[in-house]
Amino acid sequence: MTADASIKSSSPRAPVRPFRHLGAIIGGVIVLAIIVFLILFRWNWLRGPLAHAISGRLNRPVQITGDLEVHPWSWSPRATIHGLVIANAPWAGPKPLATLPRLTVQIKLLPLLKGQTILPLVESDAPRVDLLRDAQGRENWNFHPGQKPKPLKLPAINNFLIKNGALSFIDVKHHIDFKGTIASNERVNGYSQGVFVIDGKGSLNKARFIAHVTGGALVNVDPAHPYHFDARAEAGETKVRLVGQIAHPFNFGAFSGILAADGPDLADLYYLSGVALPNSPPFSLKAGFGRNGSIYALRHLTGHLGGSDVFGRLTIDDSTGRILLTGDLHSRKLRFADLTAAFGGAPKKGARTFLSPQQKIVAAKLDAEHRIFPDTHLDLARVRAMDAAIKFHADTIEAGKIPIHGATANLTLKKGVLDVNPLDLGLPQGRVVGTVHLDARGRVPTEAIDMRLSNARLETFAASKKGGPPPLDGVLLGRAKLNSSGDSIRAAAAGANGAMTIVVPQGEIRQAFAELLGIDATKGLFLLLSKSQQETPIRCAVVDFRARDGVLNADRIVLDTGVVLVTGTGDIDLRNENLNFVLKGKPKKFRLIRLSAPITIKGGLTSPKVGVDILKAAPQAALGVAIGVLAAPVAAILPFVAPGLAKNADCSSLLTEAATGPAPVKKR
C-alpha cells in the first residue's frame, strides 16, 4: 500500500482532454488535403479563370481542355497548360486558330520589380497554327477587327523550344498557300552558349519554300541590349537574307540590318513582302533595312536588274493597312531591253543577255508569231492593292539605234490609277516629253498617252552605217496622243484611238534619194552610183496618222523637197502588226526618162519590205494640183504638233504656193 501510495502521489493522473490535439490534426489534414489537391488536380481550379483572362486579352474564345500545372514556390515560377485552344474568327470556319497540346512558361520575379519581363523558358510541344487571310483582306489573327494588327512584341526569352510545330498560312487575296513545319532549339556547340535556331519549310505559291533563322544565345538576353539574328528565306529561285538586330528583345516592331535579295523576277517578291513590284529580268539587290512600327525603310539600295544598275532609297508605309511605297531611284546605265519585262514583254534577239524564265517563254512565243507586242495580262489585283510615289532618273540609256541619252519619270499610283507625269527622255538634240495614264479601277483597264517630240534632228535617227554624212538632216518634231483599253500591251494596241503626227519643217536630203522617190531612173541611180553627196532642201515633210480601233491610217504623207514632191497613203494595223504604204513622187522638173511607179512598203512590223509597183505606173500629174489638194489639211494638223508650226518659214512656203497656184509641170 505504502509503495502504491508513494507511486500514486509521485505520478498523479492527468485529466482526460479528448479534443486537445484536434486543431493540429485538422490543420494537418487541411494542409495534407491541399497538397493532395494540388498534386492530384494540378491547380485545375484555375483553368476557368485563366482561360477567361486569355480570352479577354485576345477578344476570342479560349479553352483549356487539359490539366494546369503550377510551380509557384520559386523566384522563377513556372506553369504548364495542357490543351490550350484558341478559337478562330467567326467568318473563318470552325477550325481553331491555334492548338497547343502543351505550353510551358516560366517568368523571373525580381526583374519585374524593375519593370522588365524576362521569361527563362517558353516551351511548346506540337503546336499548330492556321493563319488565314480571305479575299476581302480579313485576317483571322487580327483579334480586333477594324483595327490594323500591331507588330508582335514579346518579352525577352532565355530558352525558346518548339517541338514538331505546324504552321499553315493561306492568303486568298495574294494567292499564297504555305504549309510548313516549325522547330526551334538552342544548340550548344562545345563550351559556347550555343545559338538559337528556327527552321520552316513548305510551299509558297506552288514553289518550294524554306525559312531558316539563327540568333545568339538566349540564355543571357537582356531587354536593354540588342539581339542579333540572321534570317534567310527561299521561295523557288528567289532568295532573301536579313542580317540584323532587334533593338529591344523581342519587340519585332523595331529592328534593323542589311537586306539582300536576288532572283529571276522582282515581281516574285510580292509573295514574301506583299509589295506589288513590276516584272523584271534577273535581279540582285542589297540595302540597309530598318523597321519602325509600320514603316519599313530601304536605305543605300544598290544592285542590278538585268544589265542595268540601280541605286537609291525606298520606304514602305503600312500604317493605314494599305501599303504606300515611296522612293527615289537612280540608274547610271539603263538598258532599254531590261524595261520590256515591266510591260510583260521580252527584248529583241540582239539584247537577250539577261532573261528570266518567264521572259524566255514570252520571247519564244513572240519569235514564233513574228510579233512585237506581248499579250501578258496585267495583274489588276496587284495594281489596286497598294499606292506608290516613285521618282526615277537614268543618266544614260542603251536603246539600240535609238539615241536616248537620259530619262526622268515621276510615277504615282493611287487606288488603281497610275500616272507617269512627266516622262522625259533626252536625245542628243531635243527631247520626248509627255504623260502616261492607266486606270485599272474598272473590269478592263484604260490607257492614255500624250507624248511630244521637240527640237530633235533627223540625222540622229538616220546616221550612215558606213560613217559618212547622213542621207538627210533637219529639224524633227512629232506628237502622239492615243487612248485605248485592254489588260495587255497587245490588247491596248489593238484598240488604240487618237492621232500621231511627225513633221520635218526644214532640212536637207541627199538628192539621189529625193530623185529615186520620184522614180527618176536616170538621175537618181547615177547620183547613187557616183556616191554624190549633193543635197536638196526639205521644204516640209508631214506624216499624219489617225488611229481608230487599232489601225493607224495615214491619209496625208507629204515630203516636199527641192526636186520632188512625194505624197502617199497607208496604214499600220496594230491588231496584226502589219503595215501597208504607197508613196508617189512628182518631179518638179521635166524628166525625159522617168518611171512614174509607186513605191510600196509592206509586211510585218518585224520585217517590212520595200518595193516598186511597176503595174501601177501612171503619167506624170500636175504638181500644182497636188500641192493645192494637200496644203489645206496640212495647215490644219501642224498646230497639233507645235503651236505656230504652220508659220514656219519652210512649211509656210508649201501653203503659200498652194494659194498662188504655180504652173503645172508638163506631162511627158
Side-chain angles (χ1 to χ4, degrees):
M1 295 289 296
T2 306
D4 292 339
S6 62
I7 295 173
K8 291 180 180 179
S9 60
S10 59
S11 303
R13 179 177 294 181
V16 178
R17 298 176 180 176
F19 301 105
R20 177 179 179 183
H21 301 291
L22 182 60
I25 294 173
I26 293 176
V29 170
I30 292 176
V31 172
L32 180 62
I34 292 176
I35 294 174
V36 171
F37 177 84
L38 294 178
I39 293 175
L40 295 179
F41 295 95
R42 303 182 181 183
W43 294 74
N44 286 340
W45 61 279
L46 281 177
R47 288 187 305 177
L50 180 59
H52 182 74
I54 299 175
S55 177
R57 182 77 173 176
L58 298 181
N59 193 29
R60 189 76 59 80
V62 173
Q63 288 182 317
I64 298 177
T65 61
D67 293 329
L68 176 65
E69 302 176 35
V70 180
H71 303 275
W73 317 117
S74 168
W75 290 110
S76 298
R78 183 174 76 253
T80 299
I81 303 173
H82 293 268
L84 178 63
V85 180
I86 302 175
N88 220 328
W91 55 265
K95 190 176 183 179
L97 167 64
T99 302
L100 292 84
R102 188 176 73 89
L103 174 65
T104 298
V105 179
Q106 188 176 22
I107 188 171
K108 291 184 178 181
L109 297 180
L110 292 179
L112 287 175
L113 302 177
K114 298 184 292 183
Q116 296 179 346
T117 301
I118 298 178
L119 305 180
L121 174 66
V122 174
E123 183 178 7
S124 181
D125 288 343
R128 180 176 181 85
V129 180
D130 293 283
L131 305 178
L132 173 65
R133 180 188 283 131
D134 67 2
Q136 302 176 37
R138 295 180 298 183
E139 301 159 333
N140 69 340
W141 65 89
N142 186 351
F143 300 107
H144 300 279
Q147 301 179 21
K148 187 179 181 301
K150 295 181 179 180
L152 181 63
K153 185 176 181 180
L154 299 175
I157 302 173
N158 295 143
N159 202 358
F160 190 24
L161 305 176
I162 300 177
K163 300 177 182 178
N164 302 319
L167 173 65
S168 170
F169 178 40
I170 298 176
D171 189 337
V172 179
K173 185 176 182 180
H174 296 146
H175 306 287
I176 300 174
D177 187 352
F178 169 74
K179 292 180 176 62
T181 60
I182 300 294
S184 69
N185 199 353
E186 190 166 3
R187 301 173 183 171
V188 178
N189 301 318
Y191 296 99
S192 67
Q193 294 178 339
V195 294
F196 172 76
V197 179
I198 183 168
D199 287 297
K201 57 184 178 180
S203 62
L204 181 63
N205 195 40
K206 299 181 180 180
R208 176 183 58 91
F209 178 78
I210 297 175
H212 183 73
V213 180
T214 61
L218 297 175
V219 66
N220 292 323
V221 167
D222 185 343
H225 293 83
Y227 177 77
H228 298 270
F229 66 90
D230 185 342
R232 307 183 188 189
E234 297 182 16
E237 299 300 320
T238 302
K239 300 178 181 179
V240 177
R241 182 180 183 185
L242 176 60
V243 180
Q245 60 182 19
I246 302 173
H248 302 286
F250 287 100
N251 180 8
F252 293 97
F255 59 88
S256 60
I258 302 297
L259 178 68
D262 60 84
D265 193 332
L266 266 180
D268 292 340
L269 290 175
Y270 174 75
Y271 301 106
L272 291 172
S273 66
V275 179
L277 298 173
N279 291 102
S280 76
F283 68 93
S284 179
L285 301 173
K286 187 176 183 180
F289 179 85
R291 178 183 183 180
N292 185 6
S294 298
I295 308 297
Y296 304 82
L298 293 173
R299 304 182 183 90
H300 309 296
L301 173 69
T302 61
H304 291 84
L305 304 174
S308 305
D309 71 305
V310 63
F311 60 95
R313 59 176 180 82
L314 291 171
T315 300
I316 302 169
D317 186 343
D318 193 25
S319 57
T320 64
R322 181 178 178 83
I323 292 176
L324 172 61
L325 177 66
T326 60
D328 194 343
L329 299 176
H330 197 109
S331 178
R332 297 183 182 90
K333 184 187 72 173
L334 175 66
R335 294 174 71 249
F336 187 80
D338 294 331
L339 291 178
T340 58
F343 306 103
K348 295 180 180 180
K349 289 184 179 181
R352 294 179 179 174
T353 306
F354 306 94
L355 289 180
S356 66
Q358 180 61 32
Q359 279 186 293
K360 291 179 181 179
I361 296 174
V362 172
K365 184 178 181 180
L366 292 176
D367 290 344
E369 299 176 358
H370 304 287
R371 293 194 292 109
I372 297 176
F373 303 132
D375 52 13
T376 304
H377 297 286
L378 178 67
D379 192 331
L380 299 181
R382 294 194 187 187
V383 177
R384 299 167 182 163
M386 57 175 282
D387 299 330
I390 305 292
K391 294 182 179 180
F392 175 77
H393 177 76
D395 295 338
T396 60
I397 298 180
E398 291 184 2
K401 297 179 180 179
I402 304 175
I404 303 176
H405 279 200
T408 298
N410 289 347
L411 181 150
T412 59
L413 174 62
K414 188 172 184 179
K415 295 182 178 180
V417 178
L418 172 68
D419 283 292
V420 183
N421 185 10
L423 175 60
D424 189 341
L425 306 177
L427 302 173
Q429 291 182 338
R431 310 196 72 80
V432 179
V433 181
T435 61
V436 178
H437 178 80
L438 169 68
D439 190 339
R441 293 174 295 181
R443 184 179 62 85
V444 179
T446 60
E447 303 84 23
I449 64 169
D450 188 355
M451 303 296 297
R452 290 181 184 269
L453 172 65
S454 60
N455 301 320
R457 300 292 304 182
L458 269 173
E459 57 268 32
T460 301
F461 301 91
S464 174
K465 294 182 179 180
K466 296 182 179 181
L472 45 79
D473 62 68
V475 177
L476 180 63
L477 307 174
R479 186 181 181 187
K481 189 174 183 180
L482 302 169
N483 60 77
S484 186
S485 61
D487 64 351
S488 69
I489 296 295
R490 187 180 187 184
N497 295 282
M500 184 171 67
T501 304
I502 300 172
V503 177
V504 180
Q506 57 185 345
E508 300 284 341
I509 184 173
R510 283 175 59 184
Q511 189 169 332
F513 287 97
E515 295 283 358
L516 282 179
L517 288 171
I519 312 298
D520 187 338
T522 53
K523 191 169 185 178
L525 287 175
F526 173 76
L527 291 172
L528 281 178
L529 293 173
S530 65
K531 299 181 180 180
S532 171
Q533 302 300 325
Q534 182 180 349
E535 294 183 340
T536 187
I538 298 175
R539 302 169 68 219
C540 190
V542 178
V543 181
D544 181 45
F545 292 97
R546 297 294 157 175
R548 183 174 182 180
D549 297 332
V551 180
L552 279 65
N553 289 297
D555 293 329
R556 289 176 290 273
I557 300 177
V558 182
L559 173 58
D560 183 22
T561 73
V563 295
V564 174
L565 173 67
V566 179
T567 61
T569 59
D571 62 65
I572 302 176
D573 192 336
L574 300 179
R575 298 169 301 183
N576 54 27
E577 300 187 29
N578 285 329
L579 52 81
N580 184 7
F581 288 97
V582 177
L583 304 177
K584 299 178 181 179
K586 301 175 179 63
K588 294 187 175 182
K589 295 181 180 180
F590 178 75
R591 300 298 184 209
L592 182 62
I593 301 177
R594 177 179 177 274
L595 180 63
S596 182
I599 295 177
T600 61
I601 306 175
K602 297 182 178 181
L605 294 180
T606 58
S607 56
K609 296 180 180 180
V610 180
V612 178
D613 195 345
I614 303 295
L615 298 178
K616 293 186 179 180
Q620 186 169 321
L623 183 63
V625 175
I627 294 179
V629 172
L630 293 169
V634 168
I637 64 176
L638 291 179
F640 170 75
V641 177
L645 185 57
K647 298 180 180 179
N648 179 275
D650 291 327
C651 275
S652 63
S653 64
L654 174 67
L655 310 181
T656 302
E657 289 181 9
T660 57
V665 177
K666 295 180 181 180
K667 298 180 181 179
R668 60 182 177 89

